[in-house]
Amino acid sequence: MITSLGSLGTVKSTQAGTGLEAIERLAIEPVDLMVLDLNMPDMHGMEVINFVRRHQSYRDIPIVVLTTKGEEATRTQALAAGANHYLTKPFDPRQLADVVGSLLKAS
Amino acid sequence: MDKQNPDNAGEFFDQFLDDYYAECDEHLVLIRRALVMLEHEVDAPVDRSLLDNLFRSFHTLKGISGMVGLTAAEQLAHHLESYLRELREGTLGLSEAGFEALVAGVSLLENVINARRNDQPIPSIAEVTERLQAVPTVSPSEPSAPERDPIAKRWQLEFTPTADLAARGVNVNSVRARLQEIGELLQAKPIVKGAGEIAFQFVLETDAGQTTLKNLEADGLVFEPLEEDAAAHKPQQPLATIAPSTVVRVDLDRLDELMRIIGELVISRTRLEDQLTELKRVTPAGVWRPLQETSLGIARQLRDLRESVMRVRMVQIGEIFERMTFVVRDLARENGKKIIVQLSGGETEIDKFLVERMMDPLMHLVRNAVSHGLETAAEREAQGKRGEGLLSLSATTAGERIVIKIADDGRGIDRHLVLERANASGLSQGRSGIDDAELLDLICSPGLSTRDAADRESGRGVGMDVVKKAIEELGGHISLETKLGEGTTFTIELPLTLAIAEALIVSVNGQRFAVPQSSVREVFEVESASTKVLENNEIISYRGKVLPLLRLARVFEMNYQRGERFHVLVIGEESNAVGLAVDRILGQREIVVRAIKDPLAQSKGIAGATELGDQRVVLILDIGALRQLAVTSRH
Amino acid sequence: MEPFILFELAGTTYGVRSRFVQQIEMIEDVASVPNAHAAVEGVVLIRGQVIPALNLRTRFGFERVDRDLRSRLVVINAGDRVVGLIVDTAREFIKVPTESIEPPPEALTGLSGKYLEGIATIKERMILVLNLDAVLDLDYQVGPQISDTTTELMMDGR
């Protein structure tokens, strides 16, 4: 998972190792933005996006998706399903910081 | 058809059987994969999730085999499942004997299913079953694990996460782990409850009693029995698996149909583009431009759609690799060698068409490595090498190509020996030294190529010459690196994008041509006598209208003889349809489209070339260009 | 010294540098390409690639003959073009000292242009070294421009 998030300074981050955990986080604490790796052991990232976007309260949470190089098709799908942005692994942690920053500012 | 169940004859059952075989294949792939990983855990702590996956697969195979009445498979799967269950509960880990028994069981299971598939006598499962049952899974001092009550019940549980629970360490993961300890988790998914709360729903199959489940209530779990009848005597439904949860099995035919429709869409859009161009003259720019943009947008989306469908045809090369691992194990054992197989890049995807064509060549290379390349443990140690030989299979993608490497750290190829043989048979002119590339050419010459016993037995004509040819026919390339005493590496490069199309093969004046199926609306036969001439063009009546004919023989300036009857392929849209006249339609084939790159051989009306398996080149017609020719020839 | 591949065409020996020759094959199915240049006999499938088969006899203006068991397809790989040349026979590999390649005599240069790079004489044998670019460039006419005198001149050298 992403440990570099810690360096974002004013942003508090919490980690989830699986899709179900990620959704659980939404339930128990206020979440302003999600960074999602599409390949997770229990639930594919796409399903997480679909679930989140269908839910009243979480419909507008910005979602940043991480894809591996060459997965253009999934990237398009993720965006179509409602993700706001994507980054291709491997990526520069500062890129992620920038994206997160601008999405949070906008929302 | 179905000799063992005469009462179940009929189309429905056949389709049922097809589904059964397809599902078995899928599970066998998963099982092989798990076994490959499990091999590393013999006599070591075992990864529970691997055991769970295997258990699930055997359980499913047991159920579906029961449904189609293949008792041998059902029972074998049952024993495999029982052994897995004992492994999970027992105190002894996976032993070598246990692993071997598993492998033997899986091989036999595959054979039983294939026997039924090919209407052959079903092999006996008695011996393997005994082996499985004989493997100890608990230390002799402990009482053996209690026989599980085969009748298990299903429960639906709901877990609502809260911050308090999480603070206590109770979260969806911990809940899931606990449930898996007391039974089998069939389903886990997030749901939204009435007030918009998020909760998680689980379906658990367990023989644990209500009291055990009641203990979970303290952790925010609510449960209730699931309606389904879970009695063991009824054949069990194939179980839902937790991951991956988004897998759909698709017939290749349907994919081809999709591709065909997409082909038609592409043609329609091109027509739209033509019409838009005409419209440009009489439409104000402000109105026309958005139309044009939409049209371009559609073109882009069509391209994406086409690529997406092509991606669906992709399978992971890991499937072949894993199959090879088993071949290597058997061969290694037969030859008394110890071999470690290293796989990497198994998740690299490759078109299913390529997989089918490459299976035999890759197997041949692997068998060669094991039989001839790698030495016995004794020989190796005498050389100061590690006793176990290393065979590594790897796949990576480099741009538009996939690179597969088969490497061994064995003897290497003795180029002087090869050169001697080549000189002796006149294949080379008495040269004294050759580099790797030339060495490869030599060992791939039909004269020098060796077919090993297994190839001969199976009647396969695979030798290095066939391997090289197969690879080159796919537009690929094979190269060799070898060092005496150190090992050999074969590197195969294949293009990932293979243009494949459905085509009608037609004959014109004795020459064969391929016509992309997607361009053809309809085909019918016509009597020469029924054609008429209108303003210097041949026409025939078609669906109450007039269809202009385009004689391919004339377009290609061949002398032609009119037979009594000939075939017409209708191309183009309703309003400007044209009938392509050919002598005969020979058939329909899936073809690999090869471009004609050199200008010397390019010609209007020809889009490319292909080969129908008999090494003879067949030209592919460019229907669009031919239609244009038809139009211009009319004026 | 450079390695060359030699082939025969209408009684004359031609040479091409080995490094441009990808392979030499017997001629199997040639699919005729409609409306192609007269010298293009058709296309063949070599190593998964569809390449043109150029009939050198036609190209150079010699009379066409039926192919026989000795006819060969010399597959040339030059630049990024892969083209097959149909010749009468092709069997020899020799090493030619670079110095022995003389520029073609004036008489030839004028008439047949630049399709010859030069002429090498090895042990009284005359080998015409081809300029592949010119041969493969079909805008460039070759053939009927060779006069009978020139042909005789060439034949005499043998």
Side-chain angles (χ1 to χ4, degrees):
Chain A
M1 289 291 116
I2 319 148
T3 47
S4 61
L5 268 182
S7 64
L8 280 178
T10 54
V11 174
K12 173 170 161 250
S13 70
T14 171
Q15 288 185 38
T18 71
L20 291 181
E21 260 192 88
I23 293 179
E24 185 181 39
R25 283 308 144 109
L26 283 181
I28 60 181
E29 46 183 312
V31 171
D32 300 310
L33 177 143
M34 287 177 84
V35 178
L36 204 54
D37 185 327
L38 284 188
N39 296 312
M40 288 186 291
D42 59 348
M43 231 179 123
H44 194 265
M46 285 297 304
E47 290 180 63
V48 174
I49 301 179
N50 285 330
F51 181 82
V52 169
R53 285 290 179 249
R54 263 187 262 127
H55 197 290
Q56 271 287 28
S57 329
Y58 311 118
R59 243 205 317 244
D60 299 317
I61 292 188
I63 300 180
V64 179
V65 148
L66 303 177
T67 65
T68 44
K69 195 144 75 115
E71 276 196 338
E72 275 74 30
T74 7
R75 179 234 298 169
T76 328
Q77 269 179 17
L79 291 177
N84 297 81
H85 203 100
Y86 73 90
L87 280 175
T88 316
K89 295 194 275 197
F91 57 86
D92 181 347
R94 287 171 299 182
Q95 248 190 321
L96 180 59
D98 284 338
V99 169
V100 167
S102 58
L103 282 173
L104 284 179
K105 232 187 298 194
S107 63
Chain B
M1 276 306 142
D2 193 343
K3 295 194 176 105
Q4 295 181 326
N5 280 346
D7 295 332
N8 289 334
E11 245 184 63
F12 175 71
F13 192 68
D14 289 340
Q15 179 58 43
F16 203 44
L17 267 183
D18 284 340
D19 285 343
Y20 166 71
Y21 293 134
E23 199 167 343
C24 284
D25 282 341
E26 273 174 33
H27 280 282
L28 283 169
V29 166
L30 293 174
I31 289 173
R32 270 196 286 268
R33 182 166 300 165
L35 285 179
V36 165
M37 295 200 276
L38 209 56
E39 187 165 13
H40 299 306
E41 296 177 10
V42 172
D43 293 330
V46 178
D47 179 357
R48 246 193 102 81
S49 64
L50 271 184
L51 293 183
D52 288 345
N53 288 341
L54 273 174
F55 179 86
R56 254 199 294 280
S57 292
F58 291 138
H59 186 88
T60 306
L61 284 174
K62 174 177 85 176
I64 57 180
S65 300
M67 283 206 277
V68 302
L70 185 51
T71 332
E74 185 188 7
Q75 285 180 353
L76 188 46
H78 172 75
H79 288 293
L80 285 164
E81 177 198 34
S82 300
Y83 175 61
L84 252 305
R85 185 185 285 129
E86 282 169 31
L87 256 185
R88 286 158 90 197
E89 295 166 9
T91 48
L92 285 185
L94 180 65
S95 64
E96 175 117 19
F99 183 73
E100 296 292 335
L102 262 182
V103 172
V106 170
S107 289
L108 186 57
L109 189 56
E110 205 171 349
N111 289 344
V112 165
I113 296 172
N114 282 336
R116 170 81 127 107
R117 203 183 228 159
N118 300 327
D119 259 339
Q120 283 167 349
I122 313 259
S124 147
I125 65 170
E127 192 212 318
V128 173
T129 313
E130 272 177 43
R131 269 176 82 176
L132 279 169
Q133 289 176 321
V135 182
T137 48
V138 279
S139 345
S141 51
E142 287 179 39
S144 54
E147 259 300 312
R148 261 228 179 171
D149 185 353
I151 301 176
K153 278 190 82 172
R154 288 199 193 167
W155 304 85
Q156 180 168 295
L157 304 102
E158 199 180 274
F159 170 65
T160 312
T162 67
D164 290 332
L165 282 172
R168 272 205 285 137
V170 178
N171 54 41
V172 67
N173 282 348
S174 70
V175 165
R176 189 161 55 174
R178 274 188 74 177
L179 289 179
Q180 280 175 328
E181 277 168 32
I182 57 175
E184 202 185 320
L185 206 48
L186 305 180
Q187 205 182 80
K189 64 175 194 203
I191 55 169
V192 181
K193 300 209 301 199
E197 292 170 313
I198 292 182
F200 296 98
Q201 201 176 69
F202 300 96
V203 172
L204 181 72
E205 186 177 278
T206 178
D207 57 4
Q210 292 230 8
T211 29
T212 325
L213 294 175
K214 264 193 136 31
N215 286 338
L216 298 169
E217 277 179 341
D219 288 340
L221 264 172
V222 181
F223 69 93
E224 60 183 24
L226 204 53
E227 239 85 80
E228 272 173 281
D229 187 349
H233 298 298
K234 271 223 189 108
Q236 291 164 35
Q237 308 281 314
L239 306 174
T241 47
I242 295 182
S245 50
T246 46
V247 175
V248 178
R249 191 189 323 133
V250 181
D251 261 329
L252 264 184
D253 287 343
R254 296 199 191 166
L255 284 178
D256 290 339
E257 173 69 5
L258 263 179
M259 288 300 286
R260 187 192 70 79
I261 296 174
I262 291 175
E264 287 182 34
L265 270 172
V266 169
I267 294 178
S268 294
R269 200 219 62 95
T270 320
R271 272 212 71 223
L272 179 64
E273 176 131 337
D274 291 340
Q275 288 164 347
L276 276 178
T277 313
E278 288 204 22
L279 212 51
K280 191 173 185 178
R281 289 181 279 116
V282 300
T283 319
V287 172
W288 183 84
R289 206 166 294 128
L291 273 177
Q292 171 74 328
E293 278 177 21
T294 309
S295 170
L296 290 176
I298 295 179
R300 270 198 306 273
Q301 285 151 2
L302 270 179
R303 198 173 39 239
D304 286 344
L305 179 59
R306 188 157 185 282
E307 279 172 21
S308 290
V309 174
M310 293 204 67
R311 285 183 73 89
V312 178
R313 289 173 62 110
M314 306 286 254
V315 294
Q316 292 191 343
I317 199 172
E319 285 180 26
I320 312 189
F321 282 178
E322 277 137 22
R323 194 169 291 189
M324 286 180 191
T325 314
F326 288 95
V327 168
V328 170
R329 294 182 89 254
D330 288 339
L331 255 185
R333 205 165 3 163
E334 275 171 43
N335 292 347
K337 298 178 183 170
K338 283 194 159 315
I339 299 180
I340 296 182
V341 179
Q342 222 176 49
L343 303 178
S344 76
E347 64 286 347
T348 311
E349 292 191 331
I350 180 176
D351 188 282
K352 192 154 176 68
F353 183 79
L354 283 181
V355 159
E356 277 158 28
R357 296 281 212 103
M358 286 302 293
M359 184 69 82
D360 283 347
L362 287 176
M363 280 295 185
H364 180 77
L365 288 174
V366 164
R367 272 206 292 269
N368 266 1
V370 175
S371 309
H372 309 302
L374 288 167
E375 320 92 322
T376 60
E379 283 175 298
R380 288 177 66 91
E381 277 159 7
Q383 290 174 54
K385 287 186 186 175
R386 187 181 53 179
E388 299 98 345
L390 182 67
L391 178 66
S392 97
L393 304 172
S394 72
T396 46
T397 42
E400 289 282 294
R401 300 175 84 76
I402 180 172
V403 180
I404 302 171
K405 283 197 202 217
I406 298 179
D408 67 70
D409 66 349
R411 297 191 175 98
I413 299 179
D414 187 341
R415 62 190 79 218
H416 296 294
L417 212 60
V418 173
L419 202 48
E420 256 178 53
R421 286 175 63 191
N423 285 339
S425 35
L427 274 172
S428 58
Q429 336 295 113
R431 313 205 13 219
S432 50
I434 47 172
D435 62 21
D436 285 344
E438 293 160 323
L439 181 58
L440 180 65
D441 279 339
L442 277 181
I443 60 180
C444 292
S445 320
L448 275 190
S449 182
T450 49
R451 276 158 189 60
D452 61 40
D455 290 326
R456 270 194 300 262
E457 266 169 34
S458 58
R460 278 193 288 248
V462 185
M464 279 308 294
D465 54 335
V466 176
V467 170
K468 186 160 188 252
K469 193 165 245 184
I471 292 170
E472 286 173 349
E473 268 168 21
L474 292 171
H477 180 70
I478 179 172
S479 62
L480 162 71
E481 264 176 72
T482 183
K483 209 154 174 217
L484 206 53
E486 287 183 24
T488 307
T489 302
F490 283 99
T491 304
I492 299 172
E493 273 180 51
L494 292 170
L496 275 179
T497 44
L498 215 51
I500 301 171
E502 273 293 328
L504 284 176
I505 310 298
V506 304
S507 159
V508 177
N509 203 37
Q511 187 172 351
R512 293 184 301 174
F513 291 93
V515 181
Q517 183 102 311
S518 54
S519 320
V520 179
R521 300 274 151 273
E522 208 177 321
V523 166
F524 55 90
E525 204 182 5
V526 152
E527 284 187 50
S528 294
S530 60
T531 66
K532 313 230 183 323
V533 178
L534 180 69
E535 291 176 2
N536 220 20
N537 299 305
E538 257 187 294
I539 55 166
I540 49 164
S541 111
Y542 164 65
R543 294 183 184 277
K545 290 195 284 213
V546 157
L547 183 72
L549 282 186
L550 181 63
R551 291 250 177 208
L552 259 183
R554 221 161 95 192
V555 173
F556 290 156
E557 290 175 23
M558 300 170 169
N559 298 325
Y560 69 105
Q561 315 230 335
R562 264 175 232 220
E564 262 189 32
R565 316 179 67 93
F566 61 94
H567 277 113
V568 173
L569 289 81
V570 182
I571 58 181
E573 299 302 308
E574 280 276 339
S575 46
N576 64 353
V578 167
L580 203 61
V582 302
D583 296 344
R584 275 170 52 214
I585 297 198
L586 300 174
Q588 186 183 317
R589 294 284 297 272
E590 191 181 53
I591 59 172
V592 175
V593 175
R594 301 196 196 278
I596 298 182
K597 297 198 188 109
D598 200 287
L600 277 175
Q602 288 167 348
S603 163
K604 207 157 166 64
I606 301 294
T610 182
E611 172 261 328
L612 300 181
D614 55 2
Q615 291 300 309
R616 289 163 58 198
V617 177
V618 170
L619 298 177
I620 303 172
L621 298 181
D622 181 348
I623 296 298
L626 285 175
R627 271 174 48 212
Q628 272 182 1
L629 281 176
V631 166
T632 47
S633 72
R634 244 180 275 158
H635 303 306
Chain C
M1 292 291 251
E2 282 187 83
F4 271 74
I5 301 239
L6 303 182
F7 58 86
E8 303 262 317
L9 200 61
T12 312
T13 307
Y14 295 82
V16 175
R17 286 182 176 74
S18 298
R19 63 185 153 98
F20 294 124
V21 178
Q22 180 176 292
Q23 62 201 93
I24 301 177
E25 299 280 341
M26 290 199 53
I27 302 178
E28 267 142 48
D29 279 283
V30 180
S32 139
V33 174
N35 297 330
H37 191 284
V40 175
E41 191 123 324
V43 286
V44 292
L45 192 65
I46 296 284
R47 290 197 187 167
Q49 261 195 308
V50 177
I51 65 171
L54 196 60
N55 188 319
L56 273 191
R57 274 181 170 259
T58 316
R59 180 89 178 95
F60 291 164
F62 297 133
E63 73 170 313
R64 284 188 60 139
V65 295
D66 286 332
R67 294 202 291 267
D68 62 22
L69 285 174
R70 296 184 314 156
S71 311
R72 291 286 181 271
L73 186 77
V74 177
V75 182
I76 302 291
N77 191 330
D80 20 68
R81 289 182 75 181
V82 182
V83 176
L85 305 176
I86 299 178
V87 302
D88 295 348
T89 71
R91 253 181 330 150
E92 293 181 68
F93 311 75
I94 65 168
K95 288 215 163 71
V96 174
T98 325
E99 324 76 77
S100 67
I101 305 178
E102 310 264 329
E106 281 301 311
L108 281 178
T109 329
L111 288 171
S112 41
K114 302 189 186 67
Y115 83 109
L116 276 194
E117 191 190 295
I119 302 187
T121 311
I122 310 275
K123 293 191 188 130
E124 319 229 329
R125 191 178 171 194
M126 204 170 68
I127 296 169
L128 304 188
V129 179
L130 283 183
N131 176 336
L132 285 174
D133 288 332
V135 172
L136 298 184
D137 179 5
L138 276 181
D139 284 334
Y140 197 77
Q141 252 318 338
V142 181
Q145 292 167 359
I146 304 177
S147 72
D148 292 297
T149 338
T150 325
T151 322
E152 270 172 56
L153 267 175
M154 284 160 57
M155 305 263 252
D156 269 352
R158 249 186 324 139

